[in-house]
Amino acid sequence: MSRVPDVGNPWLDAGIVAYSTMGAEWRPADFITESFPGQFRNWFYALLALSTMMSDGKEPPFKTLLGFATVKDQYGHDMHKTAGNSIEFVSAADKGGITKDPKGKDVPFSAIGADVMRWLYCRQSPAQNLLFGPEPADEVRSRFIFKLWNTYAFFCNCAPGDKFDPSVPAMPVKDRPDIDRWILSGLQGLVKTARESFEKYDVMSFALAAERFIDDDLSNWYVRRVKPRLNSKLLDLNAVGLRDKYAAYHTLYSVLTTLCKLLAPCVPFITETMWQNLTGEPEALAPGGSKTPGAHASGSPESVHLCDYPVADETLIDEKLNREMETLRDVITLGGAARNAAKIKTRQPLSELIVRVKTDEEAASLPGFEQLIRDELNVKKVTVLPPSAATLLTATAKINKKTAAAKLGPKLKEAEAELAKRNATELAEALRAGPVEIAGVALEAGDITVEYSAAKAGYAGAVDNRGREAVLATTITDELKLEGLARDIIRTVNQARKDAGLNVADTIELFLGSDAEPLKNAIASQREYISAETQAHKWAMNSVGEGAFTSDAKVDGHALRIEFKK
C-alpha cells in the first residue's frame, strides 16, 4: 500500500461522489438517509457545500433527505455490549438469545424474525427512537403478522376442499354482496395510501393504514362475516348460494394477492411464501398456508417481487357503501354496549333491538343490513327509528368532582344546582360538540357524568359519541334460553375440534351426552343448528365408538360429554 499525499476530509470525498463518479444523470439524488448521531451532518453538509461549489449554487444535491432517531432496547436504554442489552442481528433474525433488563437480569428471547424486525422499523415514526426487543416484537407479531397469516391460512384451509380455481371467471364486482364490494373498496383505498406514502418516503403512514385494514376490516369484520358462506357445504347450496360462495373466494383471493404485492417491500419473506402458494396451480394450494412449490398459474409472475406495484382501481371505490358500512359497524358496537349495560352475554339470543339514528341517510341504509345486525348482535328483530322519533333513553347528569371541582372552586354548589335544572339529554348532545358553560365556567365532557336508563321497562341501552341510541329487550323466554345453551354447546364443540387438530372443512360424526335436562332439551330442539355450526354430518345416539376424540366440558354449569371423529 502507499499513502496518497493529499487527503482531505473523507466526508468531502463522500459529498463529491455525485460529481466525481456517478455522472450527471444521477444528480440530484431522489433520496438520501443516514442516522449516526454526531457524524451524519458532516456528510449532509459536504453534499450541500460541494454541490453549491460545483454548480454555482444552481443544482441541489438531493431532493429528499431523511434523518431518523436511533434504536434503543425495549426499556428505552442505549444498547451496549458491555451492558449486555445489545441484540445482534443473527440472534434476532434466526437464533434467539439473551438480553438484559435494566437491573441486569437475563431476559431470554426466541428468534424474532426478519419480517417482524422490518415491520417494527416500517411502522415507526422516524422522528422517535425505536424500542427494540422481544416485547415490542411480540406485540407487532400479534397485531399484524398473525392477523395476516391467519386470514391467509383460513382461505387456504377452505379453498382446496371446494376446488376453488382463481382462473375461472369471477362474478362481476357490481353483482357481489355488499360486504364483498365494501372490502374491495377499502382495499383500493389502501392501494392509494400505499402509493401516496411511498412517494413521500412516509412508510409509517402506509404501515399503520395496512395494520388497520388487516385487523379491523379484513380479519375482524370481513372474514368473520363470510365464514358462514365459505363453511357451507356445496351440496346444500342452490345456484345463488354457489355464486355467493365463489364470489367470496374470488374477493378474498383478490385481497390476499394484492396485499402480497403491497406489503412485499416491507415484509418480503412472508409475502413471497403466500404468493408462491396462492399463485400455484389450484390443485397444489396447501391447506394451513404452508408453501407449496410447483408450477404457477397462467400469467402470474414467478415471484411477488417481480410484480408491478398495484394501482388503485377507482371504479371499485364506493364512498356511499363505505359510509353505510361504517354506520353499520358503529351500530353493532353500540348494540354490544347495550348488551354490556344489560349484563347479558352475546351468545344469549334476545328478542329485539331498537336503534334511533342521527341522520335520515342512516335511517334509510340500516334496514338493508338487518340480517347482518341480527346475526352480529344475536337478536330476532331489529327496528330502526329516524332522528325525529322520541328518545329511547332517559339521561341524568352530575358533576364529576374528580376533574371539575378544581375548575369550579367555590362555584361547585351553584353548578350542581344549575345542572339539576338542565335537560341532561340536550346537555350530553352539547358536550359532544365541545365545552359547555355551567355557573360561568367552561366544562368539558369529562367534567360531567351522564348516565342513561331505558325509558321502557324490560329494556337496557346505550348511547354512542354521535348521539345514536340503542336498547335491547332483556326478557329471556324459555325458547331463547334453549337457543342460548345451543350456542354455548357449539362454542364448546368447536373448541374441541380445534383441540383435536381438525381443519375448518373437516366434517364429523358427533355424540353429545348430558344428564342435565336443560342441555338435553337444547340438544334435542337445536340439533339441526348445532349440526350446521359444528360440521356434524352424522349424529351418534350413544357413542361414536372406537377412534373418537372425547372431551368432558361444562356448559352453563352442567356437565357435557363430547365425542366425535372425522
Side-chain angles (χ1 to χ4, degrees), residues 467-529:
R468 303 184 188 99
E469 298 176 307
V471 294
L472 280 165
T474 56
T475 302
I476 301 173
T477 64
D478 291 341
E479 184 179 353
L480 291 173
K481 176 67 175 175
L482 290 178
E483 189 176 335
L485 286 173
R487 285 176 175 262
D488 283 335
I489 291 168
I490 289 165
R491 177 187 61 82
T492 306
V493 172
N494 283 336
Q495 182 58 54
R497 284 177 57 103
K498 289 182 181 178
D499 295 341
L502 297 187
N503 290 322
V504 174
D506 290 336
T507 58
I508 58 172
E509 179 183 357
L510 177 65
F511 167 74
L512 297 175
S514 178
D515 293 329
E517 286 301 320
L519 292 191
K520 288 197 288 187
N521 291 338
I523 293 168
S525 64
Q526 303 288 325
R527 178 168 293 183
E528 186 174 333
Y529 175 49

Short mmCIF file of all heavy atoms in Angstrom, two decimals, residues 467-529:
data_model
loop_
_atom_site.label_atom_id
_atom_site.label_comp_id
_atom_site.label_asym_id
_atom_site.label_seq_id
_atom_site.Cartn_x
_atom_site.Cartn_y
_atom_site.Cartn_z
N GLY A 467 -74.45 10.35 19.45
CA GLY A 467 -75.82 10.55 19.91
C GLY A 467 -76.80 9.49 19.46
O GLY A 467 -78.00 9.60 19.72
N ARG A 468 -76.34 8.46 18.77
CA ARG A 468 -77.23 7.35 18.43
C ARG A 468 -77.61 6.61 19.71
O ARG A 468 -76.81 6.49 20.64
CB ARG A 468 -76.57 6.38 17.47
CG ARG A 468 -76.08 6.98 16.16
CD ARG A 468 -75.55 5.85 15.27
NE ARG A 468 -74.90 6.33 14.08
CZ ARG A 468 -73.57 6.45 13.94
NH1 ARG A 468 -72.77 6.12 14.96
NH2 ARG A 468 -73.04 6.89 12.83
N GLU A 469 -78.83 6.07 19.74
CA GLU A 469 -79.31 5.32 20.90
C GLU A 469 -79.67 3.90 20.48
O GLU A 469 -80.15 3.68 19.36
CB GLU A 469 -80.55 5.98 21.50
CG GLU A 469 -80.34 7.38 22.02
CD GLU A 469 -81.64 8.00 22.50
OE1 GLU A 469 -82.62 7.99 21.70
OE2 GLU A 469 -81.70 8.45 23.64
N ALA A 470 -79.46 2.94 21.37
CA ALA A 470 -79.87 1.57 21.12
C ALA A 470 -80.36 0.96 22.41
O ALA A 470 -79.76 1.16 23.47
CB ALA A 470 -78.70 0.75 20.57
N VAL A 471 -81.48 0.23 22.34
CA VAL A 471 -81.99 -0.51 23.50
C VAL A 471 -82.27 -1.95 23.09
O VAL A 471 -82.67 -2.23 21.95
CB VAL A 471 -83.26 0.13 24.10
CG1 VAL A 471 -82.94 1.49 24.68
CG2 VAL A 471 -84.37 0.21 23.07
N LEU A 472 -82.02 -2.87 24.02
CA LEU A 472 -82.26 -4.30 23.81
C LEU A 472 -83.34 -4.78 24.77
O LEU A 472 -83.33 -4.42 25.96
CB LEU A 472 -80.99 -5.09 24.08
CG LEU A 472 -79.92 -5.13 22.98
CD1 LEU A 472 -78.62 -5.66 23.56
CD2 LEU A 472 -80.37 -6.01 21.81
N ALA A 473 -84.24 -5.63 24.26
CA ALA A 473 -85.21 -6.29 25.13
C ALA A 473 -84.46 -7.31 25.99
O ALA A 473 -83.70 -8.12 25.48
CB ALA A 473 -86.28 -6.99 24.30
N THR A 474 -84.67 -7.26 27.29
CA THR A 474 -83.87 -8.09 28.20
C THR A 474 -84.62 -9.31 28.72
O THR A 474 -84.05 -10.11 29.46
CB THR A 474 -83.41 -7.25 29.39
OG1 THR A 474 -84.54 -6.66 30.04
CG2 THR A 474 -82.46 -6.14 28.94
N THR A 475 -85.88 -9.47 28.35
CA THR A 475 -86.65 -10.64 28.79
C THR A 475 -86.23 -11.88 28.00
O THR A 475 -86.22 -11.86 26.76
CB THR A 475 -88.17 -10.41 28.61
OG1 THR A 475 -88.55 -9.25 29.35
CG2 THR A 475 -88.96 -11.61 29.11
N ILE A 476 -85.85 -12.95 28.71
CA ILE A 476 -85.38 -14.18 28.06
C ILE A 476 -86.42 -15.28 28.26
O ILE A 476 -86.64 -15.77 29.37
CB ILE A 476 -84.02 -14.63 28.65
CG1 ILE A 476 -82.98 -13.52 28.44
CG2 ILE A 476 -83.55 -15.93 28.00
CD1 ILE A 476 -81.66 -13.79 29.13
N THR A 477 -87.08 -15.66 27.17
CA THR A 477 -88.09 -16.73 27.22
C THR A 477 -87.40 -18.09 27.29
O THR A 477 -86.19 -18.21 27.07
CB THR A 477 -88.99 -16.67 25.98
OG1 THR A 477 -88.17 -16.94 24.82
CG2 THR A 477 -89.64 -15.30 25.83
N ASP A 478 -88.20 -19.14 27.56
CA ASP A 478 -87.65 -20.50 27.60
C ASP A 478 -87.03 -20.88 26.26
O ASP A 478 -85.97 -21.51 26.21
CB ASP A 478 -88.75 -21.50 27.96
CG ASP A 478 -89.20 -21.35 29.41
OD1 ASP A 478 -88.46 -20.75 30.20
OD2 ASP A 478 -90.31 -21.82 29.73
N GLU A 479 -87.69 -20.48 25.17
CA GLU A 479 -87.18 -20.80 23.83
C GLU A 479 -85.83 -20.12 23.58
O GLU A 479 -84.89 -20.72 23.05
CB GLU A 479 -88.19 -20.37 22.77
CG GLU A 479 -87.79 -20.74 21.36
CD GLU A 479 -88.84 -20.31 20.34
OE1 GLU A 479 -89.93 -19.86 20.74
OE2 GLU A 479 -88.54 -20.43 19.14
N LEU A 480 -85.73 -18.84 23.97
CA LEU A 480 -84.47 -18.12 23.82
C LEU A 480 -83.38 -18.73 24.69
O LEU A 480 -82.21 -18.80 24.30
CB LEU A 480 -84.65 -16.65 24.17
CG LEU A 480 -85.50 -15.81 23.20
CD1 LEU A 480 -85.74 -14.41 23.77
CD2 LEU A 480 -84.85 -15.73 21.82
N LYS A 481 -83.74 -19.19 25.88
CA LYS A 481 -82.78 -19.82 26.78
C LYS A 481 -82.19 -21.08 26.15
O LYS A 481 -80.96 -21.30 26.20
CB LYS A 481 -83.45 -20.15 28.10
CG LYS A 481 -82.58 -20.89 29.11
CD LYS A 481 -81.46 -20.02 29.62
CE LYS A 481 -80.68 -20.72 30.71
NZ LYS A 481 -79.49 -19.95 31.15
N LEU A 482 -83.03 -21.91 25.54
CA LEU A 482 -82.55 -23.13 24.90
C LEU A 482 -81.61 -22.81 23.74
O LEU A 482 -80.58 -23.46 23.55
CB LEU A 482 -83.72 -23.98 24.41
CG LEU A 482 -84.58 -24.65 25.48
CD1 LEU A 482 -85.73 -25.41 24.84
CD2 LEU A 482 -83.73 -25.61 26.34
N GLU A 483 -81.95 -21.80 22.96
CA GLU A 483 -81.09 -21.42 21.83
C GLU A 483 -79.75 -20.88 22.34
O GLU A 483 -78.70 -21.13 21.75
CB GLU A 483 -81.79 -20.37 20.97
CG GLU A 483 -81.05 -20.09 19.68
CD GLU A 483 -81.79 -19.13 18.78
OE1 GLU A 483 -83.02 -19.03 18.89
OE2 GLU A 483 -81.10 -18.47 17.96
N GLY A 484 -79.79 -20.16 23.45
CA GLY A 484 -78.54 -19.68 24.03
C GLY A 484 -77.66 -20.82 24.50
O GLY A 484 -76.43 -20.80 24.31
N LEU A 485 -78.25 -21.84 25.10
CA LEU A 485 -77.49 -23.02 25.51
C LEU A 485 -76.89 -23.73 24.30
O LEU A 485 -75.76 -24.22 24.34
CB LEU A 485 -78.39 -23.99 26.30
CG LEU A 485 -78.76 -23.57 27.72
CD1 LEU A 485 -79.78 -24.55 28.30
CD2 LEU A 485 -77.51 -23.53 28.60
N ALA A 486 -77.67 -23.78 23.21
CA ALA A 486 -77.16 -24.41 21.99
C ALA A 486 -75.93 -23.68 21.47
O ALA A 486 -74.96 -24.31 21.02
CB ALA A 486 -78.25 -24.43 20.92
N ARG A 487 -75.91 -22.36 21.55
CA ARG A 487 -74.74 -21.60 21.11
C ARG A 487 -73.53 -21.89 22.00
O ARG A 487 -72.40 -21.98 21.52
CB ARG A 487 -75.06 -20.10 21.12
CG ARG A 487 -75.95 -19.68 19.96
CD ARG A 487 -76.32 -18.21 20.04
NE ARG A 487 -77.07 -17.80 18.86
CZ ARG A 487 -76.55 -17.19 17.81
NH1 ARG A 487 -75.26 -16.93 17.77
NH2 ARG A 487 -77.30 -16.86 16.78
N ASP A 488 -73.77 -22.04 23.31
CA ASP A 488 -72.68 -22.41 24.21
C ASP A 488 -72.14 -23.80 23.88
O ASP A 488 -70.93 -24.05 23.93
CB ASP A 488 -73.15 -22.37 25.66
CG ASP A 488 -73.24 -20.95 26.21
OD1 ASP A 488 -72.52 -20.08 25.69
OD2 ASP A 488 -74.03 -20.72 27.15
N ILE A 489 -73.05 -24.70 23.53
CA ILE A 489 -72.64 -26.06 23.14
C ILE A 489 -71.80 -26.01 21.87
O ILE A 489 -70.75 -26.66 21.77
CB ILE A 489 -73.89 -26.96 22.94
CG1 ILE A 489 -74.56 -27.22 24.29
CG2 ILE A 489 -73.51 -28.27 22.26
CD1 ILE A 489 -75.95 -27.85 24.18
N ILE A 490 -72.23 -25.22 20.90
CA ILE A 490 -71.49 -25.08 19.63
C ILE A 490 -70.08 -24.56 19.89
O ILE A 490 -69.10 -25.08 19.35
CB ILE A 490 -72.27 -24.16 18.68
CG1 ILE A 490 -73.52 -24.86 18.17
CG2 ILE A 490 -71.38 -23.72 17.50
CD1 ILE A 490 -74.53 -23.93 17.52
N ARG A 491 -69.99 -23.52 20.71
CA ARG A 491 -68.67 -22.96 21.02
C ARG A 491 -67.78 -24.03 21.67
O ARG A 491 -66.59 -24.15 21.33
CB ARG A 491 -68.82 -21.77 21.97
CG ARG A 491 -67.50 -21.16 22.42
CD ARG A 491 -67.72 -20.10 23.48
NE ARG A 491 -68.36 -20.64 24.67
CZ ARG A 491 -67.71 -21.28 25.63
NH1 ARG A 491 -66.40 -21.47 25.54
NH2 ARG A 491 -68.35 -21.74 26.68
N THR A 492 -68.34 -24.83 22.55
CA THR A 492 -67.56 -25.85 23.24
C THR A 492 -67.12 -26.96 22.29
O THR A 492 -65.98 -27.42 22.33
CB THR A 492 -68.39 -26.45 24.40
OG1 THR A 492 -68.87 -25.39 25.24
CG2 THR A 492 -67.55 -27.40 25.24
N VAL A 493 -68.02 -27.37 21.40
CA VAL A 493 -67.67 -28.42 20.43
C VAL A 493 -66.60 -27.91 19.46
O VAL A 493 -65.64 -28.63 19.15
CB VAL A 493 -68.92 -28.90 19.65
CG1 VAL A 493 -68.53 -29.83 18.50
CG2 VAL A 493 -69.90 -29.59 20.59
N ASN A 494 -66.74 -26.69 18.99
CA ASN A 494 -65.75 -26.15 18.05
C ASN A 494 -64.39 -25.97 18.69
O ASN A 494 -63.35 -26.12 18.03
CB ASN A 494 -66.26 -24.83 17.46
CG ASN A 494 -67.31 -25.05 16.39
OD1 ASN A 494 -67.37 -26.12 15.78
ND2 ASN A 494 -68.16 -24.06 16.16
N GLN A 495 -64.36 -25.67 19.99
CA GLN A 495 -63.08 -25.63 20.69
C GLN A 495 -62.47 -27.03 20.75
O GLN A 495 -61.26 -27.20 20.58
CB GLN A 495 -63.26 -25.07 22.10
CG GLN A 495 -61.96 -24.95 22.89
CD GLN A 495 -60.93 -24.10 22.19
OE1 GLN A 495 -61.21 -22.94 21.84
NE2 GLN A 495 -59.72 -24.62 21.98
N ALA A 496 -63.31 -28.03 20.97
CA ALA A 496 -62.83 -29.41 20.98
C ALA A 496 -62.31 -29.81 19.60
O ALA A 496 -61.32 -30.55 19.49
CB ALA A 496 -63.94 -30.36 21.44
N ARG A 497 -62.96 -29.35 18.55
CA ARG A 497 -62.48 -29.61 17.19
C ARG A 497 -61.06 -29.05 17.01
O ARG A 497 -60.19 -29.71 16.44
CB ARG A 497 -63.41 -28.97 16.15
CG ARG A 497 -64.72 -29.70 15.89
CD ARG A 497 -65.57 -28.90 14.91
NE ARG A 497 -64.83 -28.68 13.67
CZ ARG A 497 -65.04 -29.35 12.54
NH1 ARG A 497 -65.98 -30.28 12.48
NH2 ARG A 497 -64.33 -29.08 11.47
N LYS A 498 -60.84 -27.82 17.50
CA LYS A 498 -59.51 -27.22 17.41
C LYS A 498 -58.50 -28.04 18.20
O LYS A 498 -57.38 -28.29 17.75
CB LYS A 498 -59.53 -25.79 17.93
CG LYS A 498 -60.24 -24.80 17.03
CD LYS A 498 -60.16 -23.39 17.63
CE LYS A 498 -60.89 -22.39 16.75
NZ LYS A 498 -60.85 -21.02 17.33
N ASP A 499 -58.90 -28.44 19.40
CA ASP A 499 -58.01 -29.23 20.25
C ASP A 499 -57.64 -30.56 19.58
O ASP A 499 -56.54 -31.08 19.78
CB ASP A 499 -58.66 -29.52 21.61
CG ASP A 499 -58.88 -28.25 22.42
OD1 ASP A 499 -58.22 -27.24 22.12
OD2 ASP A 499 -59.72 -28.28 23.35
N ALA A 500 -58.56 -31.08 18.76
CA ALA A 500 -58.32 -32.34 18.06
C ALA A 500 -57.51 -32.14 16.78
O ALA A 500 -57.14 -33.12 16.12
CB ALA A 500 -59.64 -33.03 17.73
N GLY A 501 -57.24 -30.89 16.41
CA GLY A 501 -56.44 -30.61 15.23
C GLY A 501 -57.20 -30.70 13.92
O GLY A 501 -56.59 -30.85 12.86
N LEU A 502 -58.52 -30.58 13.96
CA LEU A 502 -59.31 -30.66 12.73
C LEU A 502 -59.23 -29.35 11.95
O LEU A 502 -59.09 -28.27 12.54
CB LEU A 502 -60.78 -30.97 13.04
CG LEU A 502 -61.09 -32.31 13.71
CD1 LEU A 502 -62.59 -32.51 13.78
CD2 LEU A 502 -60.44 -33.47 12.97
N ASN A 503 -59.33 -29.43 10.64
CA ASN A 503 -59.43 -28.26 9.79
C ASN A 503 -60.87 -27.78 9.73
O ASN A 503 -61.81 -28.53 10.07
CB ASN A 503 -58.93 -28.57 8.37
CG ASN A 503 -57.44 -28.79 8.33
OD1 ASN A 503 -56.68 -28.12 9.03
ND2 ASN A 503 -57.00 -29.74 7.51
N VAL A 504 -61.04 -26.55 9.29
CA VAL A 504 -62.37 -25.94 9.25
C VAL A 504 -63.33 -26.78 8.41
O VAL A 504 -64.50 -26.95 8.76
CB VAL A 504 -62.28 -24.51 8.68
CG1 VAL A 504 -63.66 -23.92 8.48
CG2 VAL A 504 -61.46 -23.63 9.61
N ALA A 505 -62.84 -27.32 7.30
CA ALA A 505 -63.72 -28.03 6.36
C ALA A 505 -63.99 -29.48 6.75
O ALA A 505 -64.83 -30.13 6.12
CB ALA A 505 -63.12 -27.99 4.96
N ASP A 506 -63.32 -30.01 7.75
CA ASP A 506 -63.50 -31.41 8.14
C ASP A 506 -64.89 -31.62 8.74
O ASP A 506 -65.32 -30.91 9.66
CB ASP A 506 -62.45 -31.83 9.18
CG ASP A 506 -61.06 -31.91 8.60
OD1 ASP A 506 -60.95 -32.09 7.37
OD2 ASP A 506 -60.08 -31.78 9.36
N THR A 507 -65.61 -32.62 8.21
CA THR A 507 -66.91 -32.98 8.79
C THR A 507 -66.72 -34.09 9.82
O THR A 507 -65.73 -34.83 9.78
CB THR A 507 -67.88 -33.44 7.70
OG1 THR A 507 -67.32 -34.57 7.01
CG2 THR A 507 -68.16 -32.33 6.71
N ILE A 508 -67.67 -34.20 10.75
CA ILE A 508 -67.52 -35.15 11.85
C ILE A 508 -68.81 -35.93 12.10
O ILE A 508 -69.89 -35.49 11.73
CB ILE A 508 -67.12 -34.43 13.16
CG1 ILE A 508 -68.17 -33.36 13.54
CG2 ILE A 508 -65.74 -33.80 13.04
CD1 ILE A 508 -67.96 -32.74 14.92
N GLU A 509 -68.63 -37.08 12.74
CA GLU A 509 -69.74 -37.78 13.39
C GLU A 509 -69.70 -37.37 14.85
O GLU A 509 -68.65 -37.42 15.50
CB GLU A 509 -69.58 -39.29 13.26
CG GLU A 509 -70.70 -40.07 13.94
CD GLU A 509 -70.51 -41.58 13.87
OE1 GLU A 509 -69.53 -42.02 13.24
OE2 GLU A 509 -71.33 -42.29 14.45
N LEU A 510 -70.85 -36.93 15.40
CA LEU A 510 -70.86 -36.28 16.70
C LEU A 510 -71.82 -36.97 17.67
O LEU A 510 -72.93 -37.40 17.29
CB LEU A 510 -71.29 -34.81 16.53
CG LEU A 510 -71.45 -33.97 17.79
CD1 LEU A 510 -70.11 -33.79 18.50
CD2 LEU A 510 -72.06 -32.62 17.45
N PHE A 511 -71.37 -37.08 18.92
CA PHE A 511 -72.24 -37.50 20.02
C PHE A 511 -72.14 -36.47 21.13
O PHE A 511 -71.05 -36.07 21.53
CB PHE A 511 -71.83 -38.87 20.57
CG PHE A 511 -72.48 -39.21 21.88
CD1 PHE A 511 -73.82 -39.56 21.93
CD2 PHE A 511 -71.76 -39.13 23.07
CE1 PHE A 511 -74.43 -39.84 23.15
CE2 PHE A 511 -72.36 -39.42 24.28
CZ PHE A 511 -73.70 -39.78 24.33
N LEU A 512 -73.30 -36.05 21.63
CA LEU A 512 -73.36 -35.15 22.78
C LEU A 512 -74.23 -35.80 23.85
O LEU A 512 -75.36 -36.21 23.58
CB LEU A 512 -73.97 -33.80 22.38
CG LEU A 512 -73.20 -32.97 21.35
CD1 LEU A 512 -74.00 -31.72 20.97
CD2 LEU A 512 -71.83 -32.59 21.90
N GLY A 513 -73.70 -35.89 25.06
CA GLY A 513 -74.43 -36.53 26.14
C GLY A 513 -74.41 -35.69 27.40
O GLY A 513 -73.40 -35.08 27.75
N SER A 514 -75.57 -35.65 28.10
CA SER A 514 -75.66 -34.92 29.36
C SER A 514 -76.84 -35.44 30.15
O SER A 514 -77.88 -35.83 29.58
CB SER A 514 -75.82 -33.42 29.11
OG SER A 514 -75.95 -32.73 30.33
N ASP A 515 -76.71 -35.43 31.46
CA ASP A 515 -77.82 -35.80 32.34
C ASP A 515 -78.65 -34.59 32.74
O ASP A 515 -79.70 -34.73 33.37
CB ASP A 515 -77.28 -36.47 33.62
CG ASP A 515 -76.63 -37.82 33.33
OD1 ASP A 515 -77.09 -38.49 32.37
OD2 ASP A 515 -75.68 -38.20 34.03
N ALA A 516 -78.19 -33.40 32.38
CA ALA A 516 -78.89 -32.17 32.75
C ALA A 516 -80.04 -31.91 31.78
O ALA A 516 -79.84 -31.88 30.56
CB ALA A 516 -77.93 -31.00 32.74
N GLU A 517 -81.24 -31.74 32.30
CA GLU A 517 -82.41 -31.53 31.46
C GLU A 517 -82.28 -30.32 30.54
O GLU A 517 -82.63 -30.40 29.36
CB GLU A 517 -83.67 -31.39 32.33
CG GLU A 517 -84.16 -32.69 32.94
CD GLU A 517 -84.50 -33.74 31.90
OE1 GLU A 517 -85.09 -33.39 30.85
OE2 GLU A 517 -84.14 -34.91 32.11
N PRO A 518 -81.75 -29.16 31.03
CA PRO A 518 -81.62 -28.00 30.11
C PRO A 518 -80.76 -28.32 28.89
O PRO A 518 -81.12 -27.94 27.77
CB PRO A 518 -80.98 -26.93 31.00
CG PRO A 518 -81.36 -27.29 32.39
CD PRO A 518 -81.37 -28.79 32.42
N LEU A 519 -79.64 -29.03 29.11
CA LEU A 519 -78.78 -29.36 27.97
C LEU A 519 -79.43 -30.38 27.06
O LEU A 519 -79.34 -30.28 25.83
CB LEU A 519 -77.42 -29.87 28.46
CG LEU A 519 -76.51 -28.86 29.15
CD1 LEU A 519 -75.11 -29.46 29.32
CD2 LEU A 519 -76.42 -27.55 28.39
N LYS A 520 -80.09 -31.38 27.63
CA LYS A 520 -80.77 -32.39 26.80
C LYS A 520 -81.84 -31.73 25.94
O LYS A 520 -81.99 -32.05 24.76
CB LYS A 520 -81.38 -33.48 27.69
CG LYS A 520 -80.34 -34.40 28.31
CD LYS A 520 -80.94 -35.69 28.83
CE LYS A 520 -81.76 -35.47 30.07
NZ LYS A 520 -82.20 -36.76 30.67
N ASN A 521 -82.60 -30.82 26.53
CA ASN A 521 -83.64 -30.12 25.76
C ASN A 521 -83.03 -29.24 24.66
O ASN A 521 -83.55 -29.17 23.55
CB ASN A 521 -84.48 -29.26 26.69
CG ASN A 521 -85.34 -30.08 27.64
OD1 ASN A 521 -85.62 -31.24 27.37
ND2 ASN A 521 -85.74 -29.49 28.76
N ALA A 522 -81.92 -28.57 24.99
CA ALA A 522 -81.27 -27.72 24.00
C ALA A 522 -80.73 -28.56 22.84
O ALA A 522 -80.87 -28.18 21.67
CB ALA A 522 -80.14 -26.93 24.65
N ILE A 523 -80.12 -29.70 23.13
CA ILE A 523 -79.57 -30.57 22.08
C ILE A 523 -80.69 -31.11 21.20
O ILE A 523 -80.58 -31.14 19.96
CB ILE A 523 -78.76 -31.72 22.71
CG1 ILE A 523 -77.51 -31.16 23.40
CG2 ILE A 523 -78.37 -32.75 21.65
CD1 ILE A 523 -76.81 -32.16 24.30
N ALA A 524 -81.80 -31.51 21.83
CA ALA A 524 -82.91 -32.08 21.06
C ALA A 524 -83.58 -31.03 20.18
O ALA A 524 -83.89 -31.30 19.01
CB ALA A 524 -83.93 -32.70 22.02
N SER A 525 -83.79 -29.83 20.71
CA SER A 525 -84.55 -28.83 19.96
C SER A 525 -83.69 -28.08 18.94
O SER A 525 -84.21 -27.52 17.98
CB SER A 525 -85.17 -27.82 20.94
OG SER A 525 -84.17 -27.11 21.63
N GLN A 526 -82.36 -28.08 19.13
CA GLN A 526 -81.49 -27.30 18.28
C GLN A 526 -80.50 -28.19 17.50
O GLN A 526 -79.45 -27.71 17.07
CB GLN A 526 -80.69 -26.30 19.13
CG GLN A 526 -81.55 -25.36 19.95
CD GLN A 526 -82.26 -24.32 19.09
OE1 GLN A 526 -81.73 -23.86 18.09
NE2 GLN A 526 -83.48 -23.98 19.48
N ARG A 527 -80.84 -29.45 17.29
CA ARG A 527 -79.89 -30.39 16.69
C ARG A 527 -79.45 -29.94 15.29
O ARG A 527 -78.26 -30.00 14.95
CB ARG A 527 -80.49 -31.79 16.63
CG ARG A 527 -79.57 -32.79 15.96
CD ARG A 527 -80.05 -34.21 16.16
NE ARG A 527 -79.95 -34.58 17.56
CZ ARG A 527 -80.25 -35.81 18.03
NH1 ARG A 527 -80.67 -36.73 17.20
NH2 ARG A 527 -80.13 -36.06 19.30
N GLU A 528 -80.39 -29.50 14.49
CA GLU A 528 -80.05 -29.09 13.12
C GLU A 528 -79.09 -27.90 13.14
O GLU A 528 -78.12 -27.85 12.37
CB GLU A 528 -81.33 -28.72 12.36
CG GLU A 528 -81.10 -28.41 10.89
CD GLU A 528 -82.40 -28.19 10.15
OE1 GLU A 528 -83.45 -28.73 10.57
OE2 GLU A 528 -82.37 -27.45 9.15
N TYR A 529 -79.34 -26.95 14.02
CA TYR A 529 -78.48 -25.77 14.15
C TYR A 529 -77.09 -26.16 14.64
O TYR A 529 -76.07 -25.72 14.09
CB TYR A 529 -79.15 -24.80 15.11
CG TYR A 529 -78.35 -23.57 15.45
CD1 TYR A 529 -77.75 -22.79 14.46
CD2 TYR A 529 -78.21 -23.17 16.78
CE1 TYR A 529 -77.04 -21.65 14.78
CE2 TYR A 529 -77.49 -22.03 17.11
CZ TYR A 529 -76.91 -21.28 16.11
OH TYR A 529 -76.19 -20.16 16.43
#
